[in-house]
Amino acid sequence: MEFNSTGWIALFAHRQANVEAWDLVTRTALIVDPEQGVMRPVTDYPDFKRLILAHKVVGVVPGRGYRAHWRNEHEVPETEEILGWLVTERGVVVPFTSDGAADDADVILAPGEQLPEE
């Protein structure tokens, strides 16, 4: 899941970049040119393909004792505390742990809830 401040990502032939702003006159998406240290329109790049939607975070709610549970690639169970919930502008709520987004967890456990017996 991709997040950024504008909710848009620019795709190029062999890379992608976060859209950081919009040109107020042309309404063209702007990205950072790290070599020149300036914002440039995506249309300045010949390999620009298109823009795609990303998730724009508009709020964060504390985890309050929830936990994310997975079985790793070796089928070993792993459980991590959910530090918080990211709320996006589209109403999606994504749990996150110290390792990052936990939207791929097998089970979300409420406070005090135990895993069902297998």
Side-chain angles (χ1 to χ4, degrees), residues 43-88:
T43 52
D44 280 4
Y45 297 88
D47 63 338
F48 171 66
K49 300 293 182 198
R50 63 189 174 101
L51 298 177
I52 60 170
L53 278 171
H55 290 274
K56 180 178 178 180
V57 175
V58 295
V60 180
V61 179
R64 296 211 166 104
Y66 281 82
R67 293 167 293 138
H69 177 76
W70 300 263
R71 286 204 172 274
N72 69 18
E73 64 273 2
H74 305 292
E75 291 297 312
V76 176
E78 296 179 1
T79 302
E80 289 187 39
E81 180 182 356
I82 293 175
L83 301 176
W85 305 84
L86 301 175
V87 182
T88 73

Side-chain angles (χ1 to χ4, degrees), residues 6 13 15 26 34 38 41-42 45 51 57 83 94 115:
T6 64
R15 66 186 177 100
T26 65
V38 297
V42 293
Y45 297 88
L51 298 177
V57 175
L83 301 176
V94 179
L115 282 170

